[in-house]
């Protein structure tokens, strides 16, 4: 409770918009302003009834376009961190945010929360590989707002997730031609140009388009650049009689972004270490792609790690909604096809054996290579490595992950009255068919411990026989340390039915159900260790032999069916105060990459192709409850609620070291339970100044853990007990200023609860000055991310998991990204 007493409460007032219905979007958009959604705005909760937030028995958060611009300077995670119950790690850079929600156990990414644009999920099935949803799309000036819907019948529709739906709503055209052009410059040689344009094309035909291009050396200098861009847009025809619309949506992306992994830190203070050159080590990455190639059974493999997280491709979609006169019937739907060529260049946080910096002699000793007197350490490119230098053996993984996806959703709605009850009924269905590759090659290298380090060669001589062994050649320590070639396909078929009822003037009741089936196809290539370089003399075994695919495949199919049920009720105590409660029983389908094969028959050849059958594949069951109060008074709006979540039969997938320098995707079967309270506050201090923020306090623990029963009762890793956001926002129409902070409380790095990371604040400052130019304007702004240059650690070493130890000379962890100053020039017309 001492922590709670230190927390400032605040929040953004809430607006609900279901990603499964567009019936009131235009009206809601017109009502909203750039900074704050009024509690009286129109909302849509997934059926045909539009309601204000005070009448909605669920929790919904909105982030406006202005707030997105302030918060989303560094990554998607910085935006999501402003939402109650979400903890997001953005230390990796712009993409692949690790998102944790409601105390649920997760290895990261978006395992419980689909990421959608305009109600269309970027990928219909998560877990075909381990890439996060946000590698497929970037935010731009074409975003109107972000909605996070949690609980209630809304979460049963479309792709479905009772844990929450993250949905970005795009701007659409109006009768007035409008546009924004923005130029951005930031420290670290970041340059970005954005444009957004919308307006009419013909009678009842409207367009909206947005795009950007940027180059960035990065907040951490690595010789690995971020560069590329995206274009998105929509073309909408609105029926002249006001009965609906048809919209075509599209996106094309060609972008690469660098991704930062944990680095060795001081084991006691967990501060950054000083490298061999006397400078603080911010990153151990460099452009090594031209040096770390090697022979394979099928040719020569050349790393493309310099391209980082690269995505090229896009989607095309169609949405529509149509009211059928006064009958009360309406129809709406969404369809999308996407095709992405995606690669994820993953830098690891150690070699999987030692994982921390080593002196030259300790490197030799740890690997049984004798004494320094019989070893030759040289830099690739020339020069001897000084005897007092530290080395760091590390790994890279080239991950090629193409993905295609088709999603379709169709909803039939009906409004009718029975006695004193007004009904809004939705009957709908969802179909998703996704396919993704997962081709990984892991390489181990040896380098000095520095920023932008140099690779190191090593040759050792046996003092008895004078025989030399090449341990590291061109920095390469282990050629082909790991190989994966998987293909996963998932087809989801769902149907749902809900009724949203208004009973009298003060009572609302929602109830809905969903039933869904998944069919999955699994294909995984088998591997063998092959001698690929028998001609080069004196190579170590790790350089001579390569783990590689042998052409044999294990294949199998999984399928299961599950159901979900949700209900919510709200009662208006007064016209400005409501109490509500909702409960749900839902499910998650286990990630296909976690599905296991049955043991192979004795004597099966190493390269045999067969279908041995699959191990058990059953859904993960989640049960939730929430009860709270909503208040909307002149100058103040607030909410408070109590949350309960229980998840059973969770297949927790962790990407961890295998102990021999490679990786394995370890699966734990766990159960968790969490309790929490959530509060939000928005307070108008003056006509131009407001205070806003939110607070989450939660307790999450394991109630089942098959591989390690001793973890039962321990806290769920990477889930803090306290989260809050608080900020002051000033805007007088000409000058605007805001200072806001996000606090992440203490949390454990792994399920054993042996290592705790201390909580941290990241503060941000945004200043702007607007110059009117007739009906247009120019805004000059300055944004400072991580204002006080907080250097806290956001995570330990996920690859080491429970094997990571505390209190040693080193600690591997990922620090918060450093302070970065960004300037913007924005012209709006």
């Amino acid at each position: 409770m001492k922590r709670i007493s230190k927390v400032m409460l605040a929040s953004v007032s809430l607006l609900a918009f279901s990603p499964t219905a567009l019936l009131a979007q235009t009206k809601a958009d017109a009502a909203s302003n750039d900074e704050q959604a009024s509690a009286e705005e129109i909302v849509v909760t997934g059926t045909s009834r539009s309601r204000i937030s005070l009448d909605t028995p669920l929790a919904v958060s909105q982030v406006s376009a202005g707030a997105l611009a302030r918060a989303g300077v560094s990554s998607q995670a910085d935006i999501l961190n402003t939402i109650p119950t979400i903890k997001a790690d953005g230390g990796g850079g712009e993409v692949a945010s690790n998102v944790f929600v409601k105390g649920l156990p997760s290895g990261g990414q978006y395992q419980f929360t689909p990421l959608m644009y305009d109600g269309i999920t970027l990928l219909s099935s998560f877990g075909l590989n381990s890439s996060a949803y946000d590698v497929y799309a970037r935010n731009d000036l074409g975003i109107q707002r972000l909605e996070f819907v949690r609980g209630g019948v809304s979460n049963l529709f479309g792709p479905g997730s009772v844990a929450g739906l993250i949905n970005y709503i795009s701007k659409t055209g109006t009768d007035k031609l409008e546009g924004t052009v923005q130029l951005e410059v930031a420290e670290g040689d970041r340059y970005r140009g954005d444009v957004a344009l919308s307006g009419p094309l013909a009678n009842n035909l409207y367009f909206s388009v947005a795009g950007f291009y940027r180059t960035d050396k990065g907040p951490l200098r690595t010789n690995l650049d971020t560069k590329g861009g995206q274009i998105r847009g929509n073309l909408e025809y609105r029926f002249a009689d006001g009965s609906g619309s048809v919209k075509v949506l599209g996106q094309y992306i060609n972008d690469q972004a660098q991704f930062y992994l944990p680095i060795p830190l001081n084991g006691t203070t967990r501060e950054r270490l000083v490298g061999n050159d006397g400078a603080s080590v911010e990153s151990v990455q460099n452009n090594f792609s031209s040096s770390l190639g090697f022979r394979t059974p099928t040719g020569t493999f050349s790393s493309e790690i310099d391209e980082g997280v690269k995505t090229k491709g896009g989607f095309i979609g169609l949405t529509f909604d149509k009211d059928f006169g006064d009958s009360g019937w309406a129809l709406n739907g969404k369809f999308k096809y996407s095709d992405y060529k995606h690669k994820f260049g993953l830098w690891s946080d150690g070699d999987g054996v030692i994982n921390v910096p080593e002196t030259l002699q300790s490197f030799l000793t740890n690997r049984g290579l004798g004494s320094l007197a019989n070893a030759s350490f040289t830099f690739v490119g020339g020069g001897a490595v000084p005897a007092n230098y530290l080395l760091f053996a590390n790994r890279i993984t080239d991950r090629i992950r193409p993905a295609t996806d088709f999603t379709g959703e169709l909803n039939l709605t009906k409004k009718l009255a029975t006695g004193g009850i007004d009904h809004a009924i939705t009957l709908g269905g969802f179909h998703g068919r996704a396919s993704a590759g997962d081709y990984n090659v892991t390489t181990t290298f040896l380098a000095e411990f520095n920023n932008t380090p140099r690779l190191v060669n090593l040759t050792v001589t046996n003092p008895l026989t004078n025989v030399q062994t090449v341990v590291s050649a061109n920095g390469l320590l282990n050629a082909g340390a790991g190989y994966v070639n998987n293909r996963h396909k998932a087809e989801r078929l769902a149907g749902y039915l809900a009724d949203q009822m208004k009973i009298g003037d003060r009572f609302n009741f929602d109830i809905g159900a969903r039933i869904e089936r998944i069919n999955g196809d699994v294909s995984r290539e088998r591997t063998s260790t092959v001698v690929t370089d028998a001609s080069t003399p004196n190579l170590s075994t790790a350089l001579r032999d390569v783990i590689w695919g042998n052409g044999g495949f294990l294949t199998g199919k999984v399928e299961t069916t599950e159901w979900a049920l949700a209900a919510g009720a709200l009662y208006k105590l007064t016209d400005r105060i409501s109490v509500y409660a909702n409960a749900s029983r839902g499910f998650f389908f286990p990630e296909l990459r976690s599905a296991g094969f049955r043991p192979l028959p004795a004597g099966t050849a190493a390269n045999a192709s067969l279908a041995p059958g699959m191990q058990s594949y059953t859904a993960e069951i989640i049960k939730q409850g929430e009860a709270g109060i909503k208040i909307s008074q002149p100058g103040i709006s607030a909410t408070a609620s109590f949350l309960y979540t229980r998840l059973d039969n969770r297949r927790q997938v962790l990407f961890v070291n295998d102990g021999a320098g490679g990786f394995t995707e370890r699966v734990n079967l766990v159960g968790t339970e969490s309790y929490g309270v959530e509060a939000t506050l928005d307070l108008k201090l003056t006509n131009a100044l407001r205070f806003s923020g939110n607070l989450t306090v939660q307790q999450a623990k394991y109630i089942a853990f098959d591989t390690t029963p001793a973890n039962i009762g321990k806290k769920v890793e990477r889930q803090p007990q306290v989260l809050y956001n608080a900020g002051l926002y000033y805007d007088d129409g000409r000058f605007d200023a805001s200072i806001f902070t996000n606090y992440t409380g203490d949390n454990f790095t792994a399920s054993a609860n042996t290592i705790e990371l201390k909580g941290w604040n990241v503060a941000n400052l945004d200043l702007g000055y607007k110059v009117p130019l007739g009906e247009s304007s120019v805004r000059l702004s300055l944004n400072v991310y991580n204002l006080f240059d907080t250097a806290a650690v956001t995570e330990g070493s996920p690859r080491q998991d429970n094997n990571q130890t505390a209190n040693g000379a080193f600690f591997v962890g990922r620090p918060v990204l450093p302070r970065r100053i960004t300037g913007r020039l924005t012209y709006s017309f």
Side-chain angles (χ1 to χ4, degrees):
M1 297 302 295
K2 292 182 179 179
R3 291 179 183 169
I4 301 174
S5 66
K6 299 177 182 178
V7 176
M8 300 174 68
L9 303 180
S11 128
V12 178
S13 297
L14 304 181
L15 165 70
F17 176 92
S18 166
T20 60
L22 297 176
L23 299 177
Q25 180 177 347
T26 302
K27 191 172 180 181
D29 288 347
S32 66
N33 58 54
D34 186 54
E35 295 302 317
Q36 188 69 17
S38 164
E40 294 302 320
E41 289 182 22
I42 297 297
V43 301
V44 177
T45 61
T47 65
S48 55
R49 184 186 301 281
S50 303
R51 298 185 297 196
I52 63 174
S53 61
L54 277 176
D55 291 345
T56 308
L58 51 79
V60 184
S61 296
Q62 182 206 51
V63 183
S64 68
L68 290 172
R70 287 192 299 265
V73 174
S74 296
S75 72
Q76 182 93 240
D78 298 317
I79 296 170
L80 298 179
N81 268 328
T82 67
I83 297 174
T85 75
I86 288 183
K87 177 225 177 186
D89 291 339
E94 287 190 28
V95 297
S97 299
N98 288 322
V99 179
F100 305 87
V101 60
K102 292 186 176 180
L104 295 172
S106 172
Q109 292 89 41
Y110 296 75
Q111 294 181 358
F112 297 107
T113 49
L115 179 60
M116 301 184 293
Y117 286 80
D118 300 308
I120 298 175
T121 181
L122 287 173
L123 192 66
S124 61
S125 292
F126 189 80
L128 306 184
N129 53 45
S130 61
S131 286
Y133 285 121
D134 61 9
V135 302
Y136 303 112
R138 309 284 184 268
N139 290 350
D140 53 39
L141 294 181
I143 300 295
Q144 178 69 33
R145 65 184 185 273
L146 165 65
E147 309 282 357
F148 180 60
V149 184
R150 53 200 185 276
V153 299
S154 297
N155 298 58
L156 299 177
F157 306 146
S161 172
V162 292
L165 302 171
I166 300 170
N167 187 31
Y168 284 96
I169 308 299
S170 298
K171 297 176 181 177
T172 56
T174 66
D175 290 327
K176 179 183 178 182
L177 182 65
E178 298 177 316
T180 303
V181 178
Q182 180 172 280
L183 300 177
E184 177 180 297
V185 179
E187 294 177 292
D189 295 324
R190 177 179 172 88
Y191 304 95
R192 173 167 170 152
D194 278 81
V195 63
L197 188 66
S198 64
L201 282 178
N203 287 340
N204 304 317
L205 184 63
Y206 302 87
F207 80 97
S208 178
V209 64
F212 75 89
Y213 185 85
R214 58 90 175 75
T215 62
D216 191 355
K217 298 292 184 183
L220 306 177
R221 286 302 179 105
T222 61
N223 282 334
L224 301 164
D225 294 347
T226 290
K227 59 184 178 182
Q230 173 188 267
I231 186 168
R232 293 187 318 114
N234 59 73
L235 183 66
E236 182 178 30
Y237 178 78
R238 297 169 191 162
F239 302 132
D241 60 1
S243 62
S245 66
V246 177
K247 185 188 299 183
V248 177
L249 309 95
Q251 173 228 21
Y252 175 76
I253 184 171
N254 188 354
D255 189 59
Q256 66 180 52
Q258 288 308 315
F259 185 68
Y260 309 112
L261 265 289
I263 59 173
L265 305 169
N266 184 289
T268 302
T269 65
R270 296 179 186 169
E271 296 176 347
R272 289 176 175 85
L273 293 165
V274 174
N276 296 315
D277 59 1
S280 175
V281 177
E282 307 287 334
S283 167
V284 292
Q285 298 171 213
N286 202 350
N287 190 345
F288 295 146
S289 59
S290 61
S291 300
L292 299 180
F294 53 88
R295 299 179 190 176
T296 77
T298 57
T300 299
F301 175 81
S302 297
S303 173
E304 296 178 342
I305 195 69
D306 59 306
E307 295 185 347
V309 183
K310 184 172 183 178
T311 304
K312 184 177 182 180
F315 77 82
I316 186 164
L318 174 72
T319 70
F320 69 89
D321 61 278
K322 174 65 176 175
D323 290 333
F324 298 105
D326 297 329
S327 67
W329 290 99
L331 189 70
N332 66 77
K334 299 181 179 69
F335 301 90
K336 178 215 69 174
Y337 176 77
S338 61
D339 188 352
Y340 295 102
K341 308 302 179 188
H342 164 57
K343 296 188 293 187
F344 198 119
L346 177 69
W347 292 82
S348 191
D349 46 17
D351 64 349
V353 180
I354 305 301
N355 300 307
V356 296
E358 303 168 88
T359 64
L360 273 60
Q361 182 58 66
S362 64
F363 180 88
L364 296 170
T365 301
N366 288 334
R367 292 157 181 82
L369 297 175
S371 69
L372 186 58
N374 299 309
S376 173
F377 289 93
T378 60
F379 291 113
V380 172
V385 179
N388 64 342
Y389 264 38
L390 289 176
L391 304 175
F392 185 53
N394 202 358
R395 291 164 296 176
I396 56 174
T397 301
D398 287 85
R399 307 196 290 188
I400 301 173
R401 294 176 164 180
T404 61
D405 187 43
F406 170 81
T407 60
E409 175 186 347
L410 191 63
N411 299 306
L412 180 66
T413 64
K414 172 67 173 176
K415 295 181 180 179
L416 71 156
T418 59
I421 303 176
D422 291 333
H423 299 267
I425 299 171
T426 296
L427 173 65
F430 174 82
H431 178 222
R433 187 173 68 247
S435 175
D438 194 6
Y439 179 85
N440 303 338
V441 177
T442 299
T443 307
T444 308
F445 64 90
L446 181 63
E448 62 179 333
F449 184 62
N450 264 357
N451 290 301
T452 57
R454 292 170 289 180
L455 292 171
V456 172
N457 293 322
L458 170 61
T459 300
V460 297
T461 303
N462 187 315
L464 300 178
T465 64
N466 288 324
V467 173
Q468 292 186 330
T469 301
V470 178
V471 177
S472 173
N474 286 322
L476 185 66
L477 267 178
N478 191 339
Y483 176 97
V484 171
N485 183 18
N486 297 339
R487 188 82 186 182
H488 296 120
K489 300 179 182 179
E491 182 177 38
R492 297 172 55 195
L493 294 165
Y496 40 83
L497 176 66
D499 190 3
Q500 186 179 4
M501 291 170 272
K502 180 176 175 59
I503 307 171
D505 293 331
R506 297 198 175 275
F507 187 67
N508 291 316
F509 181 70
D510 295 350
I511 189 167
R514 176 188 181 102
I515 186 167
E516 181 171 353
R517 183 172 183 81
I518 186 171
N519 299 299
D521 291 295
V522 178
S523 173
R524 297 172 187 162
E525 188 176 9
R526 306 180 70 192
T527 61
S528 298
T529 300
V530 183
V531 176
T532 58
D533 190 348
S535 60
T536 303
N538 304 324
L539 289 180
S540 69
T541 300
L543 293 178
R544 184 198 64 195
D545 300 348
V546 170
I547 299 173
W548 208 254
N550 59 27
F553 285 85
L554 299 180
T555 58
K557 295 180 180 292
V558 295
E559 58 186 26
T560 192
T561 301
E562 263 300 341
W563 59 272
L565 180 67
L570 177 140
Y571 183 76
K572 297 188 71 171
L573 299 175
T574 71
D575 289 342
R576 295 189 175 274
I577 302 176
S578 299
V579 291
Y580 73 97
N582 62 68
S584 62
R585 187 268 194 196
F587 59 89
F588 301 106
F589 290 131
E591 299 176 46
L592 281 183
R593 65 191 180 110
S594 73
F597 292 103
R598 291 174 182 164
L600 301 183
T604 301
N607 62 346
S609 294
L610 68 162
M614 306 300 295
Q615 297 178 7
S616 174
Y617 183 82
T618 56
E620 305 159 0
I621 306 302
I622 179 172
K623 298 176 182 177
Q624 296 184 109
E626 178 180 3
I629 185 170
K630 300 181 181 184
I631 302 171
S632 177
Q633 300 286 352
I636 182 173
S637 62
T639 67
S641 60
F642 173 79
L643 311 171
Y644 171 78
T645 304
R646 176 180 174 129
L647 179 62
D648 293 304
N649 199 38
R650 168 67 177 169
R651 288 177 180 262
Q652 183 189 56
V653 185
L654 303 177
F655 190 60
V656 298
N657 295 329
D658 64 5
F663 297 108
T664 184
E665 291 191 342
R666 190 177 69 225
V667 180
N668 300 318
L669 189 64
V670 303
T672 61
E673 189 174 53
S674 64
Y675 300 85
V677 294
E678 173 190 304
T680 70
L681 176 68
D682 191 84
L683 180 63
K684 184 178 180 180
L685 301 174
T686 70
N687 286 336
L689 180 66
R690 65 185 177 87
F691 170 74
S692 183
N694 57 65
L695 166 72
T696 302
V697 180
Q698 61 184 3
Q699 286 276 8
K701 65 179 181 179
Y702 284 106
I703 57 175
F705 208 114
D706 69 332
T707 59
T708 314
N711 288 341
I712 295 174
K714 293 187 176 179
K715 295 178 181 178
V716 176
E717 68 270 28
R718 305 176 77 172
Q719 292 283 2
Q721 294 184 56
V722 178
L723 296 164
Y724 74 73
N725 295 274
L728 287 170
Y729 304 88
Y730 178 86
D731 189 348
D732 62 11
R734 181 66 65 92
F735 175 72
D736 62 89
S738 60
I739 183 167
F740 52 98
T741 186
N742 168 258
Y743 175 77
T744 301
D746 301 350
N747 61 97
F748 290 101
T749 64
S751 56
N753 289 184
T754 55
I755 301 175
E756 187 176 34
L757 301 179
K758 296 300 181 183
W760 70 91
N761 264 301
V762 174
N764 297 275
L765 175 69
D766 193 84
L767 304 172
Y769 186 76
K770 185 182 293 185
V771 180
L773 300 173
E775 294 187 359
S776 305
S777 67
V778 172
R779 180 176 182 262
L780 299 172
S781 62
L782 181 73
N783 185 283
V784 184
Y785 169 78
N786 196 358
L787 178 64
F788 303 112
D789 207 17
T790 297
V793 180
T794 66
E795 68 176 24
S797 172
R799 256 49 65 190
Q800 296 183 58
D801 193 41
N802 283 318
N803 291 324
Q804 187 170 15
T805 58
N807 305 318
F810 303 103
F811 179 82
V812 177
R814 180 156 61 183
V816 173
L817 291 176
R819 178 171 52 219
R820 201 176 200 192
I821 301 174
T822 300
R824 289 171 173 164
L825 174 65
T826 307
Y827 173 64
S828 300
F829 60 91

